Amino acid sequence: MPQIKKAAVIGAGTMGSGIASHLTNAGVPVVLLDLPREGGGDRSAVARGAVERLLRASPPPFMHRDNAALITPGNLDDDLHLLADVDWIAEAIVERIEVKRDLYRRIDPVRRAGSFVSSNTSTLPLSMLVEGMPDTFRRDFCITHFFNPVRYMRLLEIVAGPDTRPEVIDVLTRFCDVALGKGVVPCRDTPGFLGNRVGVFALQAGLVEAAAQGLTVEEADAVMGRPMGIPKTGLFGLYDLIGLDLMLDVVNSLAAPLPDDDPFHQVAPGIPVVRTLVAAGHTGNKGGAGFYRTREAGGRPVRDAVDLASGEYRPAKRPVPDAARAGERDGLRALVEHPDPCGRFAWRVLARTLSYAASLIPEVADTPLPVDEAMKLGYGWARGPFEMIDALDPAWFRERLSADGFPVPPALEAVAGDTFYRVHDGRIEQRARDGYVPVERAPGIQRLTDLKRTRERILGNDVASLWDVGEGVACVEFHSKANALSPQSMAVLAQSVVRASEEFRALLVHNDGAHFSVGFNLEFALDCARRKTWSALETALRDFQDACRACSYATVPVVAAPSGLGLGGGFEVLVHCDALQVHANTTVGLVETLVGVVPSGGGCKAMLHRWTQDARDADEAQSGALRVFDLIGKARTAVSPQEARPLRLMRDRDRVTMNRDRLLTEGKALALALADGYAPPAPPAFIALGREGMAVMDAVLDDLVAKGIALPHDVVVSRALARLLCGGDAQRGTSVSEDDLLALERETFIDLASTAATVARIEHMLETGRPLRN
């Protein structure tokens, strides 16, 4: 079967350049073409400028800046010949049918016979795109609808036409799954396909109901966020992120081809304040203001929110509505049954959205799974619409819809007293037209969430669990909020190492959460600092270190398979594993100094070992220790494995997975590959650098102070870190044990936690999510 070894992207706008950059993340060379610049000079300036913008963009679209060298910029007048040797041409130009058809007529004579051509569109039917094109072109053509930002959004919708060769879909599906890390969902050629058809409807329903219930922007976002299992940006925050003007265009383009009786038309008009804001240039984040804006007041940033009735800005609040609190604590039913306006808002948004999704069966898909996958992968929902209906109870949902005057779609009637998903004979099944059929995933795709539904937990508590994931491998799962690590979660990790050593061939540390772990539970540390319960904090730190060390010295291999954030204490778990199977978008690093403490779960010790293990004396160890001082002191992070390896946050033995849904399978395979003949490593030893080493680090710190980079408490924290890394009071050149360094970690953490400046940093981080510079 052919492979994608070289690609071309036509259109260097946001989507096109995003597709191009992500292709380079997979190691694929890309030709990037756009219109020639008029008036002389560099005729490929448009495409070249797009690459320059990619290098400045945040979050970074390249997994490493060097990937930009794989892009060849060009223009459509002079460089069409560059298409002659590419395997895939991805078109991402303006959403105008004649402009696209004209482009296809131009590229068809120069492309290699049999090369694939696709359009990144969700508004134009495939049948119209290929109208009038030769049969050879129609056979090689499909739609590949990426979501922005391309590197980070997991959904890819693929649409085949009646003439499209099966090989085109097969090759692109496999490539985009494995090499680009996409969750590929086949779609029918219907308006908006799956993700936008339901997702845009949900956003519009949210606008309409927020205004109808008299909610503020902040209240609506507090409800239509985590309590619903929707990303924390919420409703209006997401509108600002996408762009209000773009959303108006998207809504209009989706509404245009839909029949007059489609419920989408009921919510498409939205609310008047959207057009008022756009007319004033307040188009969202890109315009500096939208439903929210940030301004300076008294030398500090102040956030404002729009009043939905007047369109005027006022200081934003941080409400926690009772309905939202009930939803997070007790689930979806508690949210929608709450009697206050926020509860009514939640009910009416979900009543509209979930019933609309159900009404699309069988128009857009024969079963619930593609719709649910599209919303989870494309919009970041924790559960898809049909999974939400199951959580509410389909019979209850159907009865309340009817009682409140909402139509009950046939698919919901047909499920009767059952659910859309069930576990039967150890397998997950989904409701189809004529009964239940198995949920099938591509070979190698495996989710812990699925496995948990079909087997019993071995051990665990409210924040962590141990599961048997098959083939002699056990899996530790963290499942607290953001997977922050507490004494309870570390107790499960320690118990799991013992259990795995007795009953399994290997242990995996993995979860399906948005983040592997954001680190040690700061609320616990803050509570100890406020109450001055230093013995409780010291015990928790020791237990944390012991659990991490247990991973290092287990009698079976311990492999972690992280995704999302693996920071602070989360990274300390990772650094004590035998190997990592890392998702390509994982961000790792030791960031404790941002909150005024130092890594104290063995992170300082482990990174010092990685940078000094080959040193023969104190002079050689000095340079490695300085790298660790810089790495931890500046809280450096790596946003990809390519960035992590030079910092030794990842090692050569660690492997990379592009598709998060393959982490479990590939992590298990790595663990089993290490199992035969496995023996744990010997404990490390260290060379003390003494006062001389501290003096060298102090000189580095003085330079940062002189440049205005290090502020007063940075100096306090960094000097404490320097003393730890140099072996405390040990004389230069003497040996320092692992136990000695771990004791220094605990001592330093507690000393810093007792300072008012560190308490202020922790409080500020918990309140705002941003570090305090003091």
Side-chain angles (χ1 to χ4, degrees), residues 187 206 274 323 401-402 441 469 531 534 640:
C187 296
V274 175
L401 282 178
S402 181
R441 303 198 187 278
V469 293
R531 295 190 295 115
W534 306 122
S640 71

Side-chain angles (χ1 to χ4, degrees), residues 7 9 14-30 32 54 60-64 67-68 70-71 88 146-147 149-156 175-183 583-585 640 642 657-660:
V9 177
T14 300
M15 286 304 305
S17 61
I19 295 168
S21 61
H22 196 49
L23 282 163
T24 71
N25 292 334
V28 176
V30 182
L32 179 61
L54 289 169
F62 291 115
M63 291 179 180
H64 195 283
N67 293 354
L70 289 172
I71 297 180
W88 175 24
F146 290 87
F147 282 63
V150 177
R151 174 183 169 184
Y152 300 95
M153 297 303 293
R154 299 172 63 194
L155 178 61
L156 173 66
F175 173 78
C176 292
D177 168 353
V178 177
L180 297 187
K182 297 302 171 189
H583 180 239
N585 282 340
S640 71
Q642 285 176 280
T657 297
M658 290 293 282
N659 190 333
R660 284 185 63 171

Side-chain angles (χ1 to χ4, degrees), residues 522-544:
L522 288 178
E523 292 178 346
F524 174 84
L526 180 61
D527 181 64
C528 289
R530 284 173 171 168
R531 295 190 295 115
K532 301 186 186 308
T533 52
W534 306 122
S535 61
L537 181 56
E538 204 275 345
T539 298
L541 293 174
R542 185 187 295 273
D543 290 346
F544 197 112

Side-chain angles (χ1 to χ4, degrees), residues 362-541:
E363 176 195 349
V364 299
D366 291 327
T367 63
L369 186 66
V371 180
D372 283 345
E373 289 293 285
M375 295 312 301
K376 290 190 290 186
L377 296 170
Y379 279 77
W381 290 15
R383 289 177 291 206
F386 295 93
E387 292 170 328
M388 285 188 178
I389 295 173
D390 279 356
L392 291 169
D393 177 20
W396 176 90
F397 183 64
R398 185 172 57 247
E399 290 171 9
R400 185 162 177 189
L401 282 178
S402 181
D404 286 3
F406 289 101
V408 178
L412 187 57
E413 291 280 15
V415 81
D418 293 323
T419 53
F420 284 101
Y421 296 93
R422 71 176 187 183
V423 175
H424 182 68
D425 288 340
R427 298 188 65 179
I428 300 175
E429 297 181 335
Q430 60 177 321
R431 182 80 183 187
R433 185 177 302 180
D434 299 320
Y436 286 92
V437 296
V439 168
E440 301 285 356
R441 303 198 187 278
I445 297 287
Q446 195 174 32
R447 293 180 186 160
L448 185 59
T449 306
D450 289 348
L451 286 176
K452 285 162 54 178
R453 294 189 62 182
T454 62
R455 53 196 69 188
E456 295 293 325
R457 181 170 75 168
I458 298 172
L459 60 87
N461 52 34
D462 289 342
V463 293
S465 299
L466 181 68
W467 303 91
D468 182 347
V469 293
E471 300 179 71
V473 179
C475 179
V476 177
E477 175 201 20
F478 301 133
H479 46 76
S480 60
K481 183 178 179 180
N483 289 327
L485 300 175
S486 64
Q488 292 74 28
S489 51
M490 300 311 289
V492 171
L493 178 61
Q495 295 164 18
S496 298
V497 172
V498 173
R499 193 70 171 264
S501 298
E502 294 172 345
E503 301 177 18
F504 292 87
R505 297 184 62 203
L507 179 65
L508 189 66
V509 188
H510 169 72
N511 61 71
D512 283 343
H515 303 297
F516 175 77
S517 173
V518 296
F520 189 70
N521 189 322
L522 288 178
E523 292 178 346
F524 174 84
L526 180 61
D527 181 64
C528 289
R530 284 173 171 168
R531 295 190 295 115
K532 301 186 186 308
T533 52
W534 306 122
S535 61
L537 181 56
E538 204 275 345
T539 298
L541 293 174

